[in-house]
Amino acid sequence: MSVSCMSPEQKYELITRNLQEVLGREEILKILNERDLKLYWGTAPTGKPHIGYFVPMSKIADFLTAGVEVTILLADIHAFLDNMKAPLDLVKFRTKYYEVLIKALLESIGVPIEKLKFIIGSSYQLTEKYSMDNYRLCATVTEHDAKKAGAEVVKQVESALLSGLLYPGLQALDEEYLGVDAQFGGVDQRKIFVFAEKYLPHLGYKKRAHLMNKMVPGLAGSKMSSSDPDSKIDLLDDADVVSRKLKKAFCEEGNIDDNGILSFVESVLFPLRSLNGKTPSFLIKRDEKWGGNVNYTSYQSLKDDFRDKKVHPGDLKAAATEAINNLLEPIRKRWKDDPELQKLTKQAYPEIEKIVKKKESKKHNQAPSGNGGKSIDVSRLDIRVAKIIKAELHENNPKSYVSTVDVGDASGNPRTVVSGLASYIPLEQMQGRYVLAVCNLKPSKFQGIESCAMLLAASSSDDKTIELLDPPAGSEIGETVIFEGYGSVERDGEILNPKNKIFEKVAENFKINEEGIATFKDIPFKTSKGDVTVKTLKEGTIR
C-alpha cells in the first residue's frame, strides 16, 4: 500500500509495530491526522558498526514506508564526550565511515536513501545559540538527574567526568534543534527520553514523543556491543567469519528468552521480508530424516517450534548464517571494490592496523618451548565479567570463601570458585556482587573443594588491603574483558596448564594505576561500559 492510501491509524500501526514502548501515542496520532511525522535517530560514531544496526534500520524502513521524515544524526560530539570513545583526531573519519556504512546498509535492504537526511552533530552543536541553551539547561538540571538519565548509556563511575553528565542534556536539545516531533532509540535510552520530556519545557520548548526498540541480545547472550568481539558480527566480516561466529553463538535448545539469533530473526529478517505487503519467509533446511525443509511465514510459528524443540539450534544457526551473509554481501562487495573506502576504514580505526602489526611481530617472537609456540600475554587469558550468586565460608579453612559464580557459560551453569579472601573482605560484601573471573585455568582442589575459576583482586604494597576488581556498572555477565591492541581467547578453548605458569607470567604486568584503574602494561582492563576499577586502592598489584 502506498503512503498516500494509508490512514493515520495505518501509519501509526506501521510506525509502532515491533516496538517495546511508545511515549506520546496521542500526540503522534494528532500529528498524523494533520501531516507526516518528523523523527530522528542518532548514533555516536565510536566502535565499528555491527549487525545490530540492522535492528534500527529495519524500523527506519518502516518509518519511511509510513511517510515519516527521518533524520539520522551522526553524533560526533557525543562520541567524544562519552568517555572519549572517539578521540578528536579520529572523530571526523569515524563520522564519515558511519555515514557511508549506514547508507550502504540501507541500500542493501532496499531502503531509498534519498528520503533520508543525514546531519552531523557538530554542524549545529557548536553554535552560539546551542551553547547558550546548554548553559541554560545546566542551570536547571541537578547532578542527580543528569547522572540518572545517562545511567544506561554513559559510563558510570564514582568520580564521573563532567562530559558524561552533559551527555543527556545535549541529546535532549537535539530534539529541538533538529526540528522533530519524536526521537527513536533503544529502550536503554528510556531514562534520557524521560529526562528530555521533563526538561525541554523548562527552556520553553515542547515535549517530544519517544519510540523505543527492545534490546537485541548479542551472540554470547548479552547485549550486542561494539567492544565485545564475541557478542557481535561486524558489517564487513567475511562470510566464513560470520559462519564461525554463529556456530559459537549461544543458542540453547528450547531457550527463546535469551537467544540473540532468534531475536535477530524477529527484529530484522521478518520485518524486512514483510515490507510493502510481502509475505515473509524464513527457510530452515534439513535432511528428510529430520523432517525435511520448513518454510516459516510467521515468526511466532518459528518461535513456538524452537521452544518445543522441533527446530534444532544447528538448523536455526545455518538458516541465520545464510540470511545474514545475504544481507552483508552487498556491503562487503562495495568495500572490496572501492580503495577509498578501505583507506577511510584505516583512518577511522588505526588501532586495528596496530593489532595486525603486533600479531605479525609476534610470529617472529615466539614463546619459550612448552607453550605450543604461542606468545605469553593477556590474550591467553579468558577474563570475563561474572556475578557471585552466593558465597560462604570454606568448611575446612576459615580464611577462604566458597562461592557460586555465574561466569556466563553457554551451559548456563554456574561455577564453584574458592578464594582466600575471608580475612580481607566481609562475607556480606561478597554476596551478589559483580567481579572479574579468569575462566580458562585448570580446575584445582583447595582443601577438598574443586575451584573452577579465579576471582581477580588487587592488593596494596603491604598486602594489608585486598579489594576485588569492579567491572563498571551495566557490564553484562559473561562479557569478555578487552585490552586495546590484544586479541581475546576463544571461549571453551585452551585450558592453561599450571606447569607453564602462563597466568603468573602475564600477571607480572598487572597493576592498579594511580587513578585506581586495573591495567596490563598500562593498558586498561575494559568492558563495553568502560574501565575496570577498584574501590579505594591507588596503585597496587593484581592477583
Side-chain angles (χ1 to χ4, degrees):
M1 179 186 299
S2 67
V3 65
S4 60
C5 298
M6 288 185 181
S7 68
E9 291 74 20
Q10 289 172 322
K11 290 180 180 179
Y12 180 83
E13 183 179 350
L14 182 56
I15 288 169
T16 59
R17 73 166 179 167
N18 296 326
L19 293 178
Q20 181 163 325
E21 187 175 2
V22 177
L23 301 177
R25 176 182 183 276
E26 293 76 14
E27 181 63 21
I28 293 174
L29 280 169
K30 179 183 176 183
I31 292 170
L32 289 174
N33 274 287
E34 299 171 356
R35 58 171 171 80
D36 289 330
L37 190 72
K38 297 178 181 179
L39 171 148
Y40 101 87
W41 172 77
T43 183
T46 53
K48 298 180 77 172
H50 48 70
I51 62 166
Y53 274 66
F54 275 105
V55 178
M57 292 305 109
S58 65
K59 272 312 301 175
I60 285 173
D62 282 346
F63 298 151
L64 292 169
T65 303
V68 176
E69 295 179 27
V70 179
T71 297
I72 292 182
L73 172 65
L74 300 169
D76 53 344
I77 301 296
H78 291 75
F80 171 69
L81 289 176
D82 188 4
N83 196 35
M84 294 186 293
K85 288 181 179 177
L88 281 175
D89 60 333
L90 298 180
V91 163
K92 64 178 181 179
F93 296 118
R94 291 189 178 179
T95 300
K96 183 62 179 176
Y97 179 87
Y98 264 59
E99 179 178 358
V100 175
L101 193 57
I102 288 172
K103 286 180 178 178
L105 187 159
L106 290 168
E107 289 174 337
S108 77
I109 59 177
V111 176
I113 61 174
E114 62 270 12
K115 295 182 180 180
L116 289 171
K117 180 167 61 176
F118 286 81
I119 292 182
I120 297 173
S122 58
S123 67
Y124 64 88
Q125 290 167 347
L126 300 179
T127 63
E128 180 180 350
K129 187 175 187 299
Y130 188 95
S131 296
M132 194 63 230
D133 271 346
N134 184 31
Y135 292 140
R136 291 172 62 206
L137 198 59
C138 289
T140 305
V141 177
T142 64
E143 178 191 6
H144 171 270
D145 282 3
K147 193 169 185 178
K148 179 182 177 182
E152 301 297 325
V153 179
V154 181
K155 175 189 175 185
Q156 301 294 298
V157 294
E158 286 188 13
S159 299
L161 293 174
L162 181 59
S163 59
L165 297 178
L166 291 174
Y167 194 107
L170 300 182
Q171 187 168 334
L173 286 175
D174 290 338
E175 297 181 350
E176 174 66 22
Y177 279 77
L178 291 172
V180 297
D181 307 305
Q183 184 180 171
F184 166 60
V187 75
D188 60 338
Q189 303 272 336
R190 191 182 195 281
K191 291 179 180 178
I192 291 181
F193 291 165
V194 172
F195 172 95
E197 292 189 9
K198 175 181 178 180
Y199 280 105
L200 279 186
H202 288 198
L203 302 185
Y205 299 139
K206 69 176 183 179
K207 180 174 73 173
R208 268 68 176 187
H210 296 95
L211 300 93
M212 286 164 272
N213 255 346
K214 65 181 179 180
M215 302 307 295
V216 175
L219 300 181
S222 59
K223 173 185 172 182
M224 200 174 293
S225 165
S226 292
S227 58
D228 182 2
D230 291 330
S231 80
K232 49 89 178 182
I233 292 171
D234 286 342
L235 293 174
L236 298 178
D237 274 347
D238 291 334
D240 58 341
V241 174
V242 173
S243 178
R244 175 174 57 79
K245 287 183 176 181
L246 281 171
K247 284 180 180 178
K248 290 170 55 183
F250 176 73
C251 188
E252 182 181 32
E253 189 174 18
N255 183 346
I256 60 174
D257 297 318
D258 190 19
N259 191 319
I261 297 176
L262 267 182
S263 294
F264 188 83
V265 173
E266 176 188 21
S267 302
V268 177
L269 297 181
F270 270 93
L272 288 180
R273 294 176 180 186
S274 64
L275 285 175
N276 301 318
K278 296 178 182 176
T279 300
S281 66
F282 185 74
L283 181 63
I284 297 286
K285 298 177 182 178
R286 56 191 181 188
D287 194 280
E288 287 295 333
K289 66 180 179 180
W290 303 117
N293 295 346
V294 182
N295 187 34
Y296 290 94
T297 56
S298 79
Y299 172 73
Q300 189 62 48
S301 298
L302 173 64
K303 180 180 177 181
D304 291 344
D305 279 0
F306 191 84
R307 180 199 61 211
D308 298 338
K309 300 183 180 181
K310 296 178 181 178
V311 174
H312 189 271
D315 294 327
L316 177 65
K317 288 182 178 183
T321 298
E322 182 177 354
I324 290 172
N325 273 324
N326 287 338
L327 285 175
L328 297 182
E329 186 52 34
I331 305 173
R332 289 190 293 241
K333 186 176 187 306
R334 180 170 177 181
W335 247 255
K336 183 179 179 181
D337 295 342
D338 192 334
E340 287 300 314
L341 293 181
Q342 296 168 25
K343 179 182 177 182
L344 176 61
T345 304
K346 292 178 181 179
Q347 291 173 321
Y349 298 95
E351 65 269 24
I352 304 300
E353 297 303 306
K354 292 178 184 177
I355 293 172
V356 172
K357 290 178 181 177
K358 282 189 177 184
K359 287 181 177 179
E360 291 175 348
S361 174
K362 288 173 186 176
K363 293 178 181 179
H364 302 288
N365 185 24
Q366 297 294 335
S369 176
N371 290 296
K374 297 180 180 179
S375 56
I376 300 176
D377 59 44
V378 73
S379 66
R380 298 285 293 280
L381 304 182
D382 181 7
I383 304 176
R384 307 181 201 169
V385 176
K387 183 179 181 181
I388 299 174
I389 301 171
K390 179 181 70 174
E392 54 191 11
L393 281 172
H394 195 302
E395 60 183 11
N396 298 323
N397 184 353
K399 294 184 177 181
S400 295
Y401 290 132
V402 178
S403 303
T404 302
V405 182
D406 184 354
V407 301
D409 281 333
S411 65
N413 298 322
R415 299 192 190 188
T416 299
V417 181
V418 179
S419 57
L421 300 172
S423 300
Y424 304 95
I425 301 175
L427 182 59
E428 61 269 19
Q429 292 184 17
M430 296 288 289
Q431 311 295 344
R433 73 178 293 167
Y434 282 73
V435 293
L436 257 57
V438 184
C439 298
N440 63 332
L441 303 178
K442 185 176 180 181
S444 301
K445 282 194 174 183
F446 294 90
Q447 290 87 35
I449 296 180
E450 187 173 67
S451 181
C452 298
M454 174 190 288
L455 304 184
L456 289 179
S459 173
S460 60
S461 58
D462 58 8
D463 286 338
K464 291 183 179 180
T465 301
I466 293 180
E467 298 176 344
L468 285 164
L469 300 194
D470 289 323
S475 299
E476 301 281 349
I477 295 172
E479 181 177 346
T480 298
V481 175
I482 58 175
F483 301 84
E484 185 175 348
Y486 292 87
S488 56
V489 71
E490 295 280 339
R491 290 284 175 96
D492 303 320
E494 177 187 23
I495 300 298
L496 299 179
N497 189 331
K499 293 180 180 179
N500 293 330
K501 298 189 179 297
I502 303 299
F503 173 79
E504 291 79 1
K505 292 173 182 176
V506 174
E508 289 176 0
N509 294 295
F510 285 166
K511 71 175 183 179
I512 301 298
N513 67 16
E514 59 187 11
E515 297 176 341
I517 297 172
T519 66
F520 167 74
K521 293 184 176 181
D522 296 325
I523 299 171
F525 286 53
K526 279 185 176 291
T527 75
S528 62
K529 296 299 181 181
D531 296 337
V532 174
T533 59
V534 287
K535 187 175 182 181
T536 65
L537 283 176
K538 307 298 180 185
E539 299 188 343
T541 58
I542 298 174
R543 61 188 190 184

